[in-house]
């Protein structure tokens, strides 16, 4: 079949300068919210709607800082009655203020979506008049999208701190994911930096979301077609390095959140000063990206490797080691746990070996019943032998393990190799103190 | 060396298996007519593709392979890698000769390689789902040129079809010179004339072929993309790692 795309004359549409200007301001103000995930729910489509969601989430682009672009992440407005020290939109800042109309934003989302730029919308907002008024305006956007444009793609909606239960519950009927940002990991520091907020103003909407989800799950047991409520769960974000809170506080808080059934993700965002001249905030030459990265690794260990927060950080080690990843750090503090025999040990034990990830651990357990595995086979399965070699025995005679070589020696060996990789990734000259 | 010549179809590979077991002769290479022949051939066999025979082989394989392993086999086929024929042949033999469950023996190099290639092909399909950029044409068709490393168009079509049920689109694989056209009802294969193809080589449709608002939305998207980058975190290496350069020419925001 041959398709000819006919050539017709037309006038180039003049760019609507106002929309462009708003987009710049309101996307620029939303960019520090790190969560971009469009994951957590799979929804097919009926012919009458536009859009689907796919369980793993799709990144449609990556910005020059290497971050995933999945959703149109934007503020409804950057007007704000609050005055949080770490935020560019705070009322005491002299910045240009603007707001989208519900239809403008809905249409923009649809047009981006149709071109495969995005998975959906991530809607946040500064606080206009009061939290509930703001929530109502945000609700109009998502309602327009779902009901007027029949949009069935992904919607992540922020709940405004202190919003009422009624409005959070309403929003939950339209959103795939909701989030309330904790921002500051301890209440004292939160109050210091965001005088209008406290933990309760954040935890209350989190509770409403959770209750809504649990009730909806109950309903759907009874009625198969009962509407789903925030099917992709909730998430939150903490800013790292704006306060003196330790990694132990951060991870303990995160692990408590993960215990709630509705919690899917905690995001960590290295502090980037947007307001200068605020004595409550530290002056940082560069954002603490290595620390942020280590926190994500620790978070990963808690979610997929069955590590407890207090195994990763404790009283004697309240902060993560920046030189080694937290899994290796744990292994070096616990040489008595090793060596692990990959041909015998249960899956959970194999997962604890530095250099073995979930994928290779599964391959090992599936394959070893066909014969004892050798180190070259392990390598092919994706095991990073440069690290794993100090912690395992396989078909060959036991190599020199962390016990014979001492943790100090292994640490030196492994960090030499790691320094380069980590520095490459982050593109910073990091002083590793060697 | 023993050579099998086949018709470069999946059924053909299965027919090779049938032939090999029937004649107790196993090839050192399987080639199609178009391929270049190696120098030292002791014997060669021309394998007729016979759907009945290939169906019998597939039924036997189906009994021993899980659904996900069957899927992996098809992905390997779509990879179009030069090693495909011999890898699948070797894999099928092992599956036939061993007990049920051999597909889990990742200590075996063929089993592991099938998994690896399947992962790569799946990965490429995912990249296409990520990086397809539609441009809306004058007559309302959303057009996206791609240039895929593996032959994944058929793998990604269902995704776009269910995502945009009311939106006609063409995704065109320039590397293979064929595309899929979804007219809001069904999918069909399309091939452009050489002349049309030449104009797509520039990746972008000329302005006069685009819908009135297309440039407007492209500009909004570019502006958005620029705005959300955080300069304190500038890390182009990480960007390239997630979004390999070979895709940039099709990405609106990278123009
Ligand atoms: S309430 Fe939100 S938008 Fe307003 S100043 Fe605080 S962080 Fe910024």
């Amino acid at each position: 079949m041959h398709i000819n795309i006919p050539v017709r004359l037309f006038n180039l549409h003049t760019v609507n300068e106002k929309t462009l200007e708003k987009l710049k301001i309101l996307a620029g103000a939303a960019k520090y919210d790190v969560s971009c995930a469009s994951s957590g729910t799979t929804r097919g489509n009926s012919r009458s709607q536009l859009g689907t969601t796919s369980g793993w989430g799709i990144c449609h682009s990556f910005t020059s800082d290497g971050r995933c672009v999945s959703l149109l992440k934007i503020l409804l407005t950057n007007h704000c009655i609050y005055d949080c020290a770490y935020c560019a939109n705070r009322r005491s800042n002299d910045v240009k203020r603007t707001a989208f109309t519900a239809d403008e934003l809905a249409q923009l989302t649809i047009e981006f979506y149709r071109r495969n730029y995005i998975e959906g919308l991530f809607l946040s907002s500064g606080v206009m008049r009061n939290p509930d008024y703001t929530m109502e305006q945000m609700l109009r956007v998502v309602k327009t999208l779902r009901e007027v444009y029949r949009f069935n793609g992904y919607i992540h909606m922020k709940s405004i701190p202190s919003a009422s239960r009624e409005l959070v519950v309403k929003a939950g009927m339209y959103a795939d994911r909701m989030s309330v940002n904790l921002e500051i990991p301890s209440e004292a520091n939160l109050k210091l930096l965001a005088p209008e907020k406290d933990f309760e103003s954040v935890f209350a909407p989190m509770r409403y979301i959770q209750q809504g989800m649990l009730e909806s799950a109950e309903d759907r047991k009874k009625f198969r077609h009962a509407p789903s409520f925030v099917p992709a769960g909730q998430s939150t974000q903490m800013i790292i390095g704006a306060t003196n809170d330790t990694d132990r506080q951060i991870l303990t808080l995160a692990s408590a959140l993960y215990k709630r059934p509705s919690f899917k993700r905690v995001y960590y965002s290295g502090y980037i000063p947007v307001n200068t001249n605020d004595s409550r905030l530290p002056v940082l030459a560069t954002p603490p990206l290595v620390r942020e990265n280590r926190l994500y690794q620790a978070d990963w260990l808690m979610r997929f490797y069955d590590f407890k927060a207090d195994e990763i950080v404790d009283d004697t080690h309240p902060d993560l080691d920046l030189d080694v990843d937290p899994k290796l750090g744990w292994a070096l503090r616990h040489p008595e746990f090793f060596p692990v025999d990959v041909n015998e040990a249960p899956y959970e034990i194999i997962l604890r070996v530095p250099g073995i990830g979930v994928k290779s651990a599964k391959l090992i357990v599936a394959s070893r019943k066909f014969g004892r595995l050798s180190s070259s086979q392990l390598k092919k399965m994706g095991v990073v032998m440069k690290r794993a070699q100090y912690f395992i025995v396989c078909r060959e005679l036991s190599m020199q393990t962390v016990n014979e070589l001492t943790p100090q020696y292994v640490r030196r060996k492994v960090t030499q190799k790691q320094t380069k990789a980590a520095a490459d990734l982050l593109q910073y000259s990091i002083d590793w103190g060697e | 060396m023993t050579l099998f010549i086949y018709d470069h179809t999946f059924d053909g590979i299965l027919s090779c298996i049938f032939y090999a077991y029937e004649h107790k002769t196993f090839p050192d290479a399987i080639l199609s007519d178009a391929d270049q022949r190696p120098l030292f051939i002791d014997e060669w066999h021309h394998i007729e593709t016979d759907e009945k025979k290939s169906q019998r082989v597939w039924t036997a394989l189906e009994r021993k392979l899980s659904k996900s392993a069957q899927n992996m086999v098809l992905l390997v086929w779509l990879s179009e890698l030069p090693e495909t024929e011999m890898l699948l042949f070797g894999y099928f033999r092992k599956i036939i000769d061993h007990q049920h469950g051999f597909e889990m023996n990742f200590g075996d190099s063929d089993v592991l390689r099938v998994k690896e290639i399947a992962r790569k092909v799946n990965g490429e399909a995912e990249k296409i789902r990520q990086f397809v950029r539609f441009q809306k044409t004058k007559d309302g068709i959303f057009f996206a040129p791609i240039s895929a490393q593996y032959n994944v168009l058929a793998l990604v079509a269902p995704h776009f079809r269910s995502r945009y049920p009311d939106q006609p689109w063409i995704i065109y694989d320039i590397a293979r010179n064929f595309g899929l056209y979804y007219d809001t009802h069904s999918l069909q294969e399309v091939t452009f004339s050489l002349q049309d193809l030449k104009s797509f080589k520039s990746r972008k449709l000329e302005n006069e072929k685009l819908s009135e608002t297309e440039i407007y939305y492209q500009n909004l998207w570019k502006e958005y993309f620029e705005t959300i980058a955080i300069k304190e975190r500038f890390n182009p290496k990480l960007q390239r790692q997630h979004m390999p350069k070979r895709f940039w020419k099709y990405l609106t925001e990278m123009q």
Side-chain angles (χ1 to χ4, degrees), chain A residues 158-223:
Chain A
K158 276 244 120 79
S159 173
I160 302 297
S162 302
S164 70
R165 173 197 292 266
E166 194 204 335
L167 288 169
V168 173
V169 167
K170 256 196 198 147
M173 309 299 287
Y174 297 100
D176 288 284
R177 171 166 288 176
M178 290 192 72
S179 60
V180 199
N181 278 1
L182 203 45
E183 304 294 17
I184 303 299
S186 69
E187 184 159 30
N189 282 327
L190 178 65
K191 281 179 166 162
L192 175 73
L193 296 178
E196 288 98 347
K197 294 179 187 169
D198 56 21
F199 264 18
E200 181 54 20
S201 69
V202 176
F203 287 135
M206 282 180 182
R207 269 198 315 273
Y208 305 151
I209 296 167
Q210 164 131 333
Q211 282 160 4
M213 284 177 69
L214 296 180
E215 279 163 26
S216 139
E218 275 303 308
D219 286 351
R220 261 171 312 147
K221 271 187 215 153
K222 285 179 253 161
F223 317 101

Coordinates of all heavy atoms in Angstrom, one line a residue, chain A residues 158-223:
Chain A
K158 N -0.3 15.9 43.2 CA 0.2 16.3 44.6 C -1.0 16.6 45.4 O -1.9 17.3 45.0 CB 1.1 17.5 44.5 CG 2.5 17.3 44.2 CD 3.4 17.7 45.2 CE 4.2 16.5 45.6 NZ 5.3 16.2 44.6
S159 N -0.9 16.2 46.7 CA -1.9 16.7 47.6 C -1.2 17.8 48.4 O -0.1 17.8 48.8 CB -2.3 15.6 48.6 OG -3.1 16.2 49.6
I160 N -2.0 18.9 48.5 CA -1.4 20.1 49.2 C -1.5 19.8 50.7 O -2.4 19.2 51.2 CB -2.3 21.3 48.9 CG1 -2.4 21.6 47.4 CG2 -1.9 22.5 49.7 CD1 -1.1 21.9 46.8
P161 N -0.4 20.1 51.4 CA -0.4 19.8 52.9 C -1.6 20.5 53.5 O -2.0 21.6 53.0 CB 0.9 20.5 53.3 CG 1.8 20.4 52.1 CD 0.9 20.6 51.0
S162 N -2.2 19.9 54.5 CA -3.4 20.4 55.2 C -4.7 20.4 54.4 O -5.7 20.9 54.8 CB -3.2 21.8 55.7 OG -2.1 21.9 56.5
A163 N -4.6 19.7 53.2 CA -5.9 19.6 52.5 C -6.9 18.8 53.2 O -6.5 17.9 54.0 CB -5.6 19.1 51.1
S164 N -8.2 19.0 53.0 CA -9.2 18.3 53.8 C -9.3 16.9 53.2 O -9.0 16.6 52.0 CB -10.5 19.0 53.7 OG -11.0 18.9 52.4
R165 N -9.8 16.0 54.0 CA -10.0 14.6 53.6 C -10.9 14.5 52.4 O -10.7 13.8 51.5 CB -10.7 13.8 54.8 CG -11.0 12.4 54.4 CD -12.0 11.8 55.4 NE -11.4 11.6 56.6 CZ -10.8 10.4 57.0 NH1 -10.8 9.4 56.1 NH2 -10.2 10.3 58.1
E166 N -12.0 15.3 52.4 CA -13.0 15.2 51.4 C -12.3 15.4 50.0 O -12.6 14.7 49.0 CB -14.0 16.3 51.6 CG -15.3 16.2 50.8 CD -16.0 17.5 50.7 OE1 -15.8 18.4 51.5 OE2 -16.7 17.7 49.7
L167 N -11.5 16.5 49.9 CA -10.9 16.8 48.6 C -9.8 15.8 48.2 O -9.6 15.5 47.1 CB -10.3 18.2 48.6 CG -11.4 19.3 48.6 CD1 -10.9 20.6 48.9 CD2 -12.2 19.3 47.3
V168 N -9.0 15.3 49.2 CA -8.0 14.3 48.9 C -8.7 13.0 48.4 O -8.3 12.4 47.4 CB -7.2 13.9 50.2 CG1 -6.3 12.7 49.9 CG2 -6.4 15.1 50.7
V169 N -9.9 12.7 49.0 CA -10.6 11.5 48.5 C -11.1 11.7 47.1 O -11.1 10.8 46.2 CB -11.7 11.1 49.5 CG1 -12.7 10.1 48.9 CG2 -11.1 10.6 50.8
K170 N -11.6 12.9 46.8 CA -12.1 13.2 45.5 C -11.0 13.1 44.4 O -11.1 12.5 43.4 CB -12.7 14.6 45.4 CG -14.2 14.7 45.4 CD -14.6 16.0 45.0 CE -16.1 16.2 45.4 NZ -16.4 17.6 45.7
A171 N -9.8 13.7 44.8 CA -8.7 13.6 43.9 C -8.3 12.2 43.6 O -7.9 11.9 42.5 CB -7.5 14.5 44.4
G172 N -8.4 11.4 44.6 CA -7.9 10.0 44.5 C -8.7 9.2 43.5 O -8.3 8.2 43.0
M173 N -9.9 9.7 43.2 CA -10.8 9.0 42.2 C -10.2 9.2 40.8 O -10.6 8.5 39.9 CB -12.2 9.4 42.3 CG -12.9 9.4 43.7 SD -12.9 7.8 44.4 CE -14.2 7.0 43.4
Y174 N -9.5 10.3 40.6 CA -9.0 10.6 39.3 C -7.5 10.3 39.1 O -7.1 10.0 38.0 CB -9.2 12.1 39.0 CG -10.6 12.5 39.0 CD1 -11.2 13.2 40.1 CD2 -11.4 12.3 37.9 CE1 -12.5 13.6 40.1 CE2 -12.7 12.7 37.9 CZ -13.3 13.3 39.0 OH -14.6 13.7 38.9
A175 N -6.7 10.2 40.2 CA -5.3 10.1 40.0 C -4.8 8.7 40.1 O -5.5 7.8 40.7 CB -4.6 10.9 41.1
D176 N -3.7 8.4 39.4 CA -3.1 7.1 39.5 C -2.2 7.0 40.7 O -2.1 6.0 41.4 CB -2.2 6.8 38.3 CG -3.1 6.5 37.1 OD1 -3.6 5.4 37.0 OD2 -3.3 7.4 36.2
R177 N -1.5 8.1 40.9 CA -0.7 8.2 42.1 C -0.9 9.6 42.8 O -1.1 10.6 42.1 CB 0.8 8.0 41.7 CG 1.7 8.3 42.9 CD 3.1 7.8 42.6 NE 3.2 6.4 42.7 CZ 4.3 5.7 42.4 NH1 5.4 6.3 42.1 NH2 4.3 4.4 42.5
M178 N -0.8 9.6 44.1 CA -0.8 10.9 44.8 C 0.4 10.9 45.7 O 1.0 9.9 46.0 CB -2.1 11.0 45.6 CG -3.3 11.1 44.8 SD -4.7 11.6 45.7 CE -4.4 13.3 46.1
S179 N 0.9 12.1 46.0 CA 2.0 12.3 46.8 C 1.9 13.5 47.7 O 1.2 14.5 47.3 CB 3.3 12.3 46.0 OG 3.3 13.4 45.1
V180 N 2.4 13.5 48.8 CA 2.6 14.6 49.7 C 4.1 14.7 50.0 O 4.6 13.7 50.5 CB 1.8 14.5 51.0 CG1 1.6 15.9 51.6 CG2 0.5 13.8 50.8
N181 N 4.7 15.8 49.8 CA 6.1 15.8 50.0 C 6.4 16.1 51.5 O 5.9 17.1 52.0 CB 6.8 16.8 49.1 CG 7.1 16.2 47.8 OD1 6.8 15.1 47.5 ND2 7.7 17.0 46.9
L182 N 7.3 15.3 52.1 CA 7.7 15.5 53.4 C 8.8 16.6 53.4 O 8.8 17.4 54.4 CB 8.3 14.2 53.9 CG 8.4 13.8 55.4 CD1 7.1 14.1 56.1 CD2 8.7 12.4 55.5
E183 N 9.6 16.6 52.4 CA 10.7 17.6 52.2 C 11.7 17.5 53.3 O 12.9 17.3 53.0 CB 10.2 19.0 52.0 CG 9.1 19.2 50.9 CD 9.7 19.0 49.5 OE1 10.7 18.4 49.4 OE2 9.0 19.4 48.6
I184 N 11.4 17.7 54.5 CA 12.4 17.8 55.6 C 12.2 16.6 56.5 O 11.2 16.4 57.1 CB 12.3 19.1 56.3 CG1 12.4 20.3 55.4 CG2 13.4 19.2 57.4 CD1 13.7 20.4 54.6
P185 N 13.3 15.8 56.7 CA 13.2 14.6 57.5 C 12.9 14.7 59.0 O 12.8 13.6 59.6 CB 14.5 13.8 57.2 CG 15.3 14.7 56.3 CD 14.7 16.0 56.2
S186 N 13.0 15.8 59.6 CA 12.7 15.9 61.0 C 11.7 17.0 61.2 O 11.8 18.1 60.5 CB 13.9 16.0 61.8 OG 14.5 17.3 61.6
E187 N 10.8 16.9 62.2 CA 9.8 17.9 62.4 C 10.4 19.2 62.8 O 9.9 20.3 62.4 CB 8.7 17.4 63.4 CG 7.6 18.4 63.5 CD 6.3 17.8 64.0 OE1 6.4 16.8 64.8 OE2 5.2 18.3 63.6
A188 N 11.4 19.2 63.7 CA 11.9 20.4 64.2 C 12.5 21.3 63.0 O 12.2 22.5 62.9 CB 13.0 20.2 65.2
N189 N 13.2 20.6 62.1 CA 13.8 21.3 61.0 C 12.7 21.7 60.0 O 12.8 22.8 59.4 CB 14.8 20.4 60.3 CG 16.1 20.4 61.1 OD1 16.5 21.5 61.7 ND2 16.8 19.3 61.1
L190 N 11.7 20.9 59.9 CA 10.6 21.3 59.0 C 9.9 22.6 59.4 O 9.7 23.5 58.7 CB 9.5 20.2 58.9 CG 8.3 20.5 58.0 CD1 8.7 20.6 56.5 CD2 7.2 19.4 58.1
K191 N 9.7 22.7 60.8 CA 9.1 23.9 61.3 C 10.0 25.1 61.2 O 9.5 26.2 61.0 CB 8.7 23.6 62.8 CG 7.4 22.8 63.0 CD 7.2 22.7 64.4 CE 5.8 22.2 64.7 NZ 5.7 21.6 66.1
L192 N 11.2 24.8 61.3 CA 12.2 25.9 61.1 C 12.2 26.5 59.7 O 12.2 27.7 59.5 CB 13.6 25.4 61.5 CG 14.7 26.4 61.3 CD1 14.7 27.5 62.4 CD2 16.1 25.7 61.3
L193 N 12.1 25.6 58.8 CA 12.3 26.0 57.4 C 10.9 26.3 56.7 O 10.8 27.1 55.8 CB 13.0 25.0 56.5 CG 14.4 24.7 57.0 CD1 15.0 23.6 56.1 CD2 15.3 26.0 56.9
A194 N 9.9 25.7 57.2 CA 8.5 25.9 56.6 C 7.6 26.2 57.7 O 6.9 25.3 58.2 CB 8.1 24.7 55.8
P195 N 7.6 27.4 58.2 CA 6.8 27.8 59.4 C 5.3 27.4 59.4 O 4.7 27.2 60.4 CB 7.0 29.3 59.5 CG 8.1 29.6 58.6 CD 8.2 28.6 57.6
E196 N 4.8 27.4 58.2 CA 3.3 27.1 58.1 C 3.0 25.6 58.1 O 1.9 25.2 58.1 CB 2.7 27.7 56.8 CG 2.6 29.2 56.9 CD 3.8 29.9 56.2 OE1 4.8 29.3 55.9 OE2 3.7 31.2 55.9
K197 N 4.1 24.8 58.1 CA 3.8 23.3 58.0 C 4.3 22.6 59.3 O 5.2 23.1 60.0 CB 4.6 22.7 56.8 CG 4.1 23.2 55.4 CD 4.9 22.6 54.3 CE 4.5 23.2 53.0 NZ 5.5 22.8 52.0
D198 N 3.8 21.4 59.5 CA 4.3 20.5 60.5 C 4.1 19.1 60.0 O 3.5 18.9 58.9 CB 3.7 20.7 61.9 CG 2.2 20.6 61.9 OD1 1.7 20.0 60.9 OD2 1.6 21.1 62.8
F199 N 4.6 18.1 60.7 CA 4.5 16.7 60.2 C 3.0 16.3 60.0 O 2.7 15.7 59.1 CB 5.2 15.7 61.2 CG 6.6 15.4 60.8 CD1 7.3 16.2 59.9 CD2 7.2 14.3 61.3 CE1 8.6 15.9 59.5 CE2 8.5 13.9 60.9 CZ 9.2 14.8 60.0
E200 N 2.2 16.8 60.9 CA 0.8 16.4 60.8 C 0.1 16.9 59.5 O -0.7 16.2 58.9 CB 0.0 16.9 62.1 CG -1.5 16.6 62.1 CD -1.8 15.1 62.0 OE1 -0.9 14.2 62.2 OE2 -2.9 14.8 61.6
S201 N 0.5 18.1 59.1 CA 0.0 18.6 57.9 C 0.3 17.8 56.6 O -0.3 17.8 55.6 CB 0.4 20.1 57.6 OG 1.8 20.1 57.3
V202 N 1.4 17.0 56.8 CA 1.8 16.1 55.7 C 1.3 14.7 55.9 O 0.8 14.1 55.0 CB 3.4 16.0 55.7 CG1 3.9 15.0 54.6 CG2 4.0 17.4 55.4
F203 N 1.3 14.2 57.2 CA 0.9 12.9 57.5 C -0.6 12.7 57.3 O -1.1 11.6 57.0 CB 1.4 12.4 58.8 CG 2.9 12.1 58.9 CD1 3.7 12.6 59.9 CD2 3.5 11.4 57.9 CE1 5.0 12.3 60.0 CE2 4.8 11.1 57.9 CZ 5.6 11.6 58.9
A204 N -1.4 13.8 57.6 CA -2.8 13.6 57.5 C -3.3 13.3 56.1 O -3.9 12.3 55.9 CB -3.5 14.9 58.0
P205 N -2.9 14.1 55.1 CA -3.3 13.7 53.7 C -2.7 12.3 53.3 O -3.4 11.5 52.6 CB -2.7 14.7 52.8 CG -2.2 15.8 53.7 CD -2.2 15.4 55.1
M206 N -1.5 11.9 53.8 CA -1.0 10.6 53.6 C -2.0 9.5 54.1 O -2.2 8.5 53.4 CB 0.4 10.4 54.2 CG 1.5 11.0 53.5 SD 3.1 10.7 54.4 CE 4.3 11.6 53.4
R207 N -2.5 9.8 55.3 CA -3.4 8.8 55.9 C -4.7 8.8 55.0 O -5.3 7.7 54.8 CB -3.8 9.3 57.3 CG -2.9 8.7 58.4 CD -3.5 8.8 59.7 NE -4.1 10.1 60.0 CZ -3.5 11.1 60.5 NH1 -2.2 11.0 60.8 NH2 -4.1 12.3 60.8
Y208 N -5.2 9.9 54.6 CA -6.4 9.9 53.8 C -6.3 9.1 52.5 O -7.1 8.3 52.1 CB -6.9 11.3 53.4 CG -7.0 12.3 54.5 CD1 -6.8 13.7 54.3 CD2 -7.4 11.9 55.8 CE1 -6.9 14.6 55.3 CE2 -7.5 12.8 56.8 CZ -7.3 14.2 56.6 OH -7.4 15.1 57.6
I209 N -5.1 9.2 51.9 CA -4.8 8.5 50.7 C -4.8 7.0 51.0 O -5.5 6.2 50.3 CB -3.5 8.9 50.1 CG1 -3.5 10.4 49.6 CG2 -3.1 8.0 48.9 CD1 -2.1 11.0 49.3
Q210 N -4.1 6.6 52.1 CA -4.1 5.2 52.4 C -5.5 4.7 52.7 O -5.8 3.6 52.3 CB -3.2 5.1 53.7 CG -3.4 3.8 54.3 CD -2.0 3.1 54.6 OE1 -1.1 3.3 53.9 NE2 -2.0 2.3 55.6
Q211 N -6.2 5.4 53.5 CA -7.6 4.9 53.9 C -8.4 4.7 52.6 O -9.1 3.8 52.4 CB -8.3 5.9 54.8 CG -7.8 5.7 56.3 CD -8.0 6.9 57.2 OE1 -8.7 7.8 56.7 NE2 -7.5 6.8 58.4
G212 N -8.3 5.7 51.7 CA -9.1 5.7 50.5 C -8.7 4.4 49.7 O -9.6 3.7 49.2
M213 N -7.4 4.1 49.7 CA -7.0 2.9 48.9 C -7.5 1.6 49.5 O -7.9 0.7 48.9 CB -5.5 2.9 48.9 CG -4.9 3.8 47.9 SD -3.1 3.8 48.0 CE -2.7 2.2 47.3
L214 N -7.4 1.6 50.9 CA -7.9 0.4 51.5 C -9.4 0.1 51.3 O -9.8 -1.0 51.1 CB -7.5 0.4 53.0 CG -6.0 0.4 53.3 CD1 -5.7 0.5 54.8 CD2 -5.3 -0.8 52.7
E215 N -10.1 1.2 51.5 CA -11.6 1.1 51.3 C -11.9 0.7 49.9 O -12.8 -0.2 49.7 CB -12.2 2.5 51.6 CG -12.4 2.7 53.1 CD -12.7 4.2 53.4 OE1 -13.2 4.9 52.5 OE2 -12.4 4.6 54.6
S216 N -11.2 1.3 48.9 CA -11.5 0.9 47.5 C -11.2 -0.5 47.3 O -11.9 -1.2 46.5 CB -10.8 1.9 46.6 OG -10.2 1.2 45.5
A217 N -10.1 -1.0 47.9 CA -9.7 -2.4 47.7 C -10.9 -3.3 48.3 O -11.2 -4.3 47.7 CB -8.4 -2.7 48.4
E218 N -11.4 -2.9 49.4 CA -12.5 -3.7 50.0 C -13.7 -3.7 49.1 O -14.3 -4.7 48.8 CB -12.9 -3.0 51.4 CG -12.1 -3.5 52.5 CD -12.2 -5.0 52.7 OE1 -13.3 -5.5 52.8 OE2 -11.1 -5.6 52.8
D219 N -14.0 -2.5 48.6 CA -15.2 -2.3 47.7 C -15.1 -3.3 46.5 O -16.0 -3.9 46.0 CB -15.3 -0.9 47.2 CG -15.9 0.0 48.3 OD1 -16.3 -0.6 49.3 OD2 -15.9 1.2 48.1
R220 N -13.8 -3.3 46.0 CA -13.7 -4.1 44.7 C -13.7 -5.6 45.0 O -13.9 -6.3 44.1 CB -12.4 -3.7 44.0 CG -12.8 -2.7 42.9 CD -11.6 -2.1 42.2 NE -10.7 -1.6 43.3 CZ -9.4 -1.6 43.1 NH1 -8.9 -2.0 42.0 NH2 -8.7 -1.0 44.1
K221 N -13.5 -6.0 46.2 CA -13.8 -7.4 46.6 C -15.2 -7.7 46.4 O -15.6 -8.7 45.9 CB -13.3 -7.7 48.0 CG -11.9 -8.1 48.1 CD -11.5 -8.5 49.5 CE -10.1 -8.1 49.9 NZ -10.0 -7.9 51.3
K222 N -16.1 -6.7 46.8 CA -17.5 -6.9 46.7 C -18.1 -6.6 45.3 O -18.8 -7.4 44.7 CB -18.2 -6.0 47.7 CG -18.1 -6.6 49.1 CD -18.7 -5.7 50.2 CE -17.7 -4.9 51.0 NZ -18.2 -3.7 51.6
F223 N -17.7 -5.5 44.7 CA -18.2 -5.1 43.4 C -16.9 -5.0 42.5 O -16.1 -4.1 42.7 CB -18.9 -3.8 43.5 CG -19.8 -3.6 44.6 CD1 -19.4 -2.9 45.7 CD2 -21.0 -4.2 44.6 CE1 -20.2 -2.7 46.8 CE2 -21.9 -4.1 45.7 CZ -21.5 -3.3 46.8

